[in-house]
Amino acid sequence: YKRQIDKFSKAIKHYHTVIKCNSKEDEAWFGLGACLFNQKKWLESSHFYTKATKLQSKNAKYWLSKAKSDYLVGNHVSSLEAYQTASELEPSNINIWLEWSYLFYEEKNINEAKYIINNALEVNPDNPELLYRKTAYLIAQGDYKEAFSSLESAIILDFEKHTLLLEFFTELSTQKALMKLIDQLKEGDVQ
C-alpha cells in the first residue's frame, strides 16, 4: 500500500512540474485527475478532469473519467452530461453506455437505463454485451418476453459472454434459473 502511495506521489509531482512548464498540457491535468481518482479523492480528481476536458474537449476518455468522478462526488447532473458527451464523441465505446445506463439502474429508473442501452444498440447493433445488459434490465423490470428475445440474440452473437448476465444478478436462485434458460437456448430446446 505504501509503495502505491509513493508511486502516486511521484506521479503527482511529475504532473505538477509539467503543468508549471505548460499549463495547457491536457494529459498532465488528466494524469493528476487519474492519480487522485485512484486515491479515492473524487472531488479533487473531478476538478482536474474538468481542466483536461476544457483543454481537450474531443477526448471521450477524459469525459468518461469526469463522469465517474462527478457521480462519486454526488454531482449527478454534471456526470450525466459528461456521459452524454463521451457517448457522442465515441459511440462505439461500449463501457460508456454500460456505465451510463447503470447509473439509472442503480437509481431504480429502469426505463431510462433501457433507453440508454437501446440508443447504444442503434449505434452498435450486434454487440452482445449491450444485449446481455438489455436482458438484465428487462428481467429487472419483469418484461420476460422481451428479455427472452434479447437473451436469444445475445447468445447467438456470443454465447461465452453469458457470464455477464449471471454476474449482474447476485442471487443464486436467479443465476440458476438463468443458466437453465441459457442452456436451453443454446441447445435450441426452447419452444
Side-chain angles (χ1 to χ4, degrees):
Y1 180 74
K2 183 174 177 352
R3 228 186 262 165
Q4 193 173 19
I5 290 174
D6 288 343
K7 187 173 111 178
F8 286 127
S9 294
K10 287 178 184 175
I12 288 169
K13 285 178 186 175
H14 168 74
Y15 290 128
H16 278 296
T17 302
V18 171
I19 290 168
K20 281 181 185 176
C21 294
N22 180 2
S23 65
K24 299 210 182 295
E25 182 57 55
D26 59 281
E27 290 180 15
W29 291 108
F30 179 79
L32 276 171
C35 287
L36 293 164
F37 186 90
N38 284 310
Q39 292 178 321
K40 298 183 176 65
K41 296 179 180 178
W42 319 126
L43 186 60
E44 294 92 334
S45 70
S46 177
H47 169 75
F48 291 114
Y49 287 148
T50 298
K51 289 264 196 189
T53 59
K54 286 181 179 174
L55 291 168
Q56 180 50 264
S57 64
K58 302 290 185 209
N59 189 318
K61 180 173 82 172
Y62 291 4
W63 285 102
L64 180 58
S65 298
K66 178 178 171 19
K68 291 177 190 179
S69 248
D70 285 351
Y71 187 78
L72 291 166
V73 169
N75 191 349
H76 294 196
V77 172
S78 178
S79 174
L80 297 175
E81 289 170 355
Y83 276 113
Q84 173 74 42
T85 302
S87 73
E88 290 168 2
L89 291 170
E90 198 175 326
S92 62
N93 184 333
I94 303 308
N95 288 330
I96 294 169
W97 300 102
L98 293 173
E99 290 177 23
W100 186 15
S101 70
Y102 191 73
L103 298 183
F104 287 107
Y105 175 81
E106 278 188 324
E107 294 174 357
K108 308 289 186 237
N109 187 346
I110 298 173
N111 283 334
E112 192 64 27
K114 282 187 342 190
Y115 177 77
I116 300 292
I117 289 297
N118 285 332
N119 285 342
L121 282 164
E122 285 180 23
V123 182
N124 308 283
D126 294 328
N127 185 283
E129 292 177 55
L130 293 172
L131 285 167
Y132 282 114
R133 182 62 62 89
K134 179 179 179 179
T135 302
Y137 293 158
L138 289 165
I139 289 170
Q141 197 171 39
D143 189 346
Y144 301 113
K145 185 176 180 179
E146 194 176 342
F148 179 82
S149 176
S150 180
L151 177 59
E152 190 172 31
S153 297
I155 287 171
I156 290 167
L157 287 171
D158 190 342
F159 172 77
E160 297 303 316
K161 290 196 175 172
H162 74 277
T163 56
L164 297 171
L165 184 60
L166 298 175
E167 291 167 4
F168 195 84
F169 294 102
T170 56
E171 288 185 30
L172 189 58
S173 60
T174 305
Q175 288 180 345
K176 284 182 181 180
L178 283 170
M179 202 56 226
K180 184 177 178 181
L181 181 59
I182 289 167
D183 285 340
Q184 289 174 342
L185 280 168
K186 184 181 177 204
E187 296 166 13
D189 292 343
V190 179
Q191 283 88 29

